[in-house]
Amino acid sequence: SVRLNQKLAIFGGTPTFGDKIYVGRPNIGDRLHLLNRINDILDRKWLSNGGKYVQEFESRIAKILGVKHCIATCNGTVALQIAAKAANLTGEVIVPSFTFIATAHALQWLGLTPVFCDIDPHTHTIDPQMVEKLITRDTSAILGVHVWGQPCNVEALSAIAQRHNLKLIFDAAHAFYSSYQGRAIGNFGQAEVLSFHATKFLNTFEGGAVVTNDDELANSIRLMVNFGFAAGYDNAMSIGTNGKMNEVCAAMGLTGLESLDEFITINHRNYKLYQQELGGIPGVRFFTFNESEKNNYQYIVLEIDEKITQISRDRLMQILHAENILARRYFYPGCHQMEPYRSLFPLSQEQLPYTNCLGERILTLPTGTAIIPEDISKITRIIRFVLEHGLSISQKLS
Ligand code: T4K
């Protein structure tokens, strides 16, 4: 093991990869199809504002998800803001802290108060039992996050929302193409919000959407995305912003949609390879998905229990970074530990125990169409080696 230690780049060896391997490398479809679409956009000189590609993209997404309305936006964060505004959320909104900061920021930006809730340590999604305990007279909604594309406990959350007359919205930024009890994510709560950011399973460079089966809500959202203007009218019917998706972004999305099956096949292959290579290491949990549901397998998630592996997640990450494998600590620290929330709503260490604990344990690994099986073998060989020699490597590094 001493000899292998010396080979690790952190101990001066040559990095396993010459070029950096990233988490969140975009899935890119057929380049020629994209360029043809962009040429068409330039020829027709229609670049934004309800153009044909945005319309086509919205109807394709709605059809794939089996949802009545899809309103495409410039990104997922603005989609969250518009959904929350259109649904008339007020006062407090219960939200997990274990999420990307955009979930909390979207609420705070609107003058709403994010009330941070812990997660279920098994599914990593908002804990319905704690949600119920956090409800006050000022609570207007629950905002669940289908983190990693793993659906929230939609049934329990819907029951709570109904019982307390609360709105229920989902941040489905990670969950395009996932299903819950056989039904596509996008169909639950009052509305669900998608992200098509570059790092997402399906990307439009930057982009997002609100999807809903509620006609009235869809109508408000459609107005708000475009300054409150109704199609064909030049006077505002409501408050609005500029949340529109542009034509080039929609062209990218449509091109990606043509390769959706390929993206899924590759992500699933990668997921199975990682699972096979990293299974059975003491102190390591490989986050698994229910294979009887649909998932996009865009996130490869490891939980490292330092007490057992005797090497911390952060040390492992450092070692991987030295090998040019840029594993990421999503979501560390939790939203409640970042500003402005840390100062505005200080919470004690005991209040969100699973969020804090998982924040210290989770490492996400590279996947997607940019990765080949040999890369995964190399990555997993290093991880396995490091974790199996946790104590000696930790000692050498300290
Ligand atoms: N809700 C949730 C639960 C979310 O996860 C997100 C976004 C949102 C809401 C908001 O949706 P958007 O407004 O973003 O549509 C990244 C993404 O920027 C963000 O979209 C995403 N979540 C979050 C989980 O990840 P960072 O700060 O980690 O980005 P960055 O620049 O460090 O890039 C991440 C990795 O991707 C790096 O390893 C490099 C690689 N990358 C990135 C880009 C942009 C590429 O290889 N190519 C690229 O073009 O936030």
Side-chain angles (χ1 to χ4, degrees):
S1 101
V2 173
R3 218 156 44 91
L4 278 162
N5 275 357
Q6 280 163 353
K7 276 199 199 159
L8 288 173
I10 202 157
F11 295 122
T14 312
T16 307
F17 293 96
D19 293 325
K20 290 182 167 53
I21 302 278
Y22 292 97
V23 170
R25 218 65 179 140
N27 290 326
I28 294 171
D30 188 312
R31 220 173 259 241
L32 201 60
H33 290 191
L34 172 64
L35 294 176
N36 286 340
R37 287 190 170 103
I38 294 176
N39 269 325
D40 179 51
I41 291 167
L42 299 178
D43 289 344
R44 288 185 301 106
K45 299 190 169 37
W46 198 275
L47 310 187
S48 188
N49 294 15
K52 89 166 195 192
Y53 287 116
V54 168
Q55 286 181 34
E56 192 184 337
F57 182 66
E58 290 181 338
S59 57
R60 290 289 317 277
I61 296 291
K63 193 161 175 221
I64 289 169
L65 301 181
V67 64
K68 265 172 102 175
H69 306 279
C70 169
I71 301 100
T73 61
C74 52
N75 60 54
T77 307
V78 165
L80 276 169
Q81 289 168 354
I82 292 173
K85 183 101 184 161
N88 278 318
L89 305 197
T90 56
E92 298 175 359
V93 178
I94 301 172
V95 64
S97 172
F98 188 77
T99 179
F100 189 59
I101 196 70
T103 318
H105 277 354
L107 299 171
Q108 183 74 16
W109 194 264
L110 295 175
L112 299 165
T113 303
V115 174
F116 294 115
C117 185
D118 211 358
I119 45 171
D120 174 318
H122 186 71
T123 63
H124 298 182
T125 58
I126 193 165
D127 171 10
Q129 280 187 358
M130 185 168 174
V131 166
E132 202 146 26
K133 292 189 193 129
L134 293 173
I135 296 171
T136 71
R137 284 205 330 239
D138 290 332
T139 310
S140 69
I142 305 165
L143 175 53
V145 181
H146 306 304
V147 73
W148 322 133
Q150 163 71 41
C152 295
N153 186 343
V154 174
E155 211 173 333
L157 294 173
S158 304
I160 294 168
Q162 205 160 34
R163 210 158 43 237
H164 297 270
N165 198 21
L166 303 176
K167 305 267 171 52
L168 178 61
I169 291 179
F170 290 103
D171 177 338
H174 298 185
F176 173 63
Y177 214 67
S178 294
S179 71
Y180 174 79
Q181 295 181 355
R183 197 168 179 216
I185 290 296
N187 287 280
F188 301 102
Q190 267 72 53
E192 302 208 55
V193 170
L194 304 170
S195 166
F196 302 118
H197 180 260
T199 56
K200 296 296 186 285
F201 168 63
L202 176 75
N203 88 81
T204 60
F205 299 112
E206 288 269 2
V210 187
V211 287
T212 178
N213 287 311
D214 180 325
D215 298 341
E216 208 178 312
L217 186 60
N219 195 36
S220 306
I221 292 167
R222 209 167 265 299
L223 290 174
M224 284 184 179
V225 163
N226 185 27
F227 312 105
F229 291 150
Y233 292 85
D234 55 6
N235 61 334
M237 320 282 274
S238 77
I239 188 167
T241 185
N242 183 356
K244 298 184 297 296
M245 178 179 277
N246 70 56
E247 286 289 275
V248 172
C249 291
M252 181 68 167
L254 287 166
T255 307
L257 283 175
E258 293 168 351
S259 299
L260 213 60
D261 290 342
E262 183 200 329
F263 297 165
I264 286 282
T265 306
I266 290 175
N267 271 6
H268 187 249
R269 173 203 71 191
N270 292 353
Y271 165 82
K272 293 308 268 185
L273 275 173
Y274 272 115
Q275 185 181 31
Q276 184 187 312
E277 302 290 328
L278 294 174
I281 305 177
V284 179
R285 176 185 173 208
F286 181 85
F287 191 91
T288 54
F289 296 95
N290 176 354
E291 298 241 2
S292 66
E293 297 282 358
K294 277 191 181 171
N295 197 280
N296 57 42
Y297 299 99
Q298 181 72 358
Y299 295 90
I300 303 291
V301 182
L302 283 190
E303 270 175 52
I304 313 291
D305 181 353
E306 183 184 353
K307 279 199 220 76
I308 299 172
T309 58
Q310 313 218 50
I311 188 156
S312 67
R313 181 275 312 269
D314 287 349
R315 276 282 188 235
L316 173 63
M317 187 177 76
Q318 247 184 326
I319 291 167
L320 293 174
H321 283 198
E323 304 291 345
N324 278 334
I325 304 160
L326 299 190
R328 297 286 301 245
R329 304 183 284 195
Y330 289 128
F331 293 100
Y332 170 83
C335 295
H336 70 289
Q337 290 165 316
M338 291 197 236
E339 296 298 354
Y341 312 106
R342 192 171 60 163
S343 302
L344 285 174
F345 319 114
L347 296 178
S348 71
Q349 191 64 20
E350 298 82 58
Q351 274 171 290
L352 301 175
Y354 293 119
T355 302
N356 293 332
C357 170
L358 283 171
E360 310 255 308
R361 287 187 181 193
I362 283 180
L363 200 59
T364 62
L365 301 174
T367 185
T369 49
I371 297 282
I372 56 169
E374 279 106 301
D375 296 336
I376 296 175
S377 301
K378 288 181 193 163
I379 295 168
T380 54
R381 225 178 301 138
I382 296 165
I383 294 175
R384 187 172 267 284
F385 173 76
V386 171
L387 292 173
E388 284 174 349
H389 300 83
L391 184 60
S392 62
I393 296 175
S394 283
Q395 282 169 344
K396 228 178 140 185
L397 284 171
S398 62

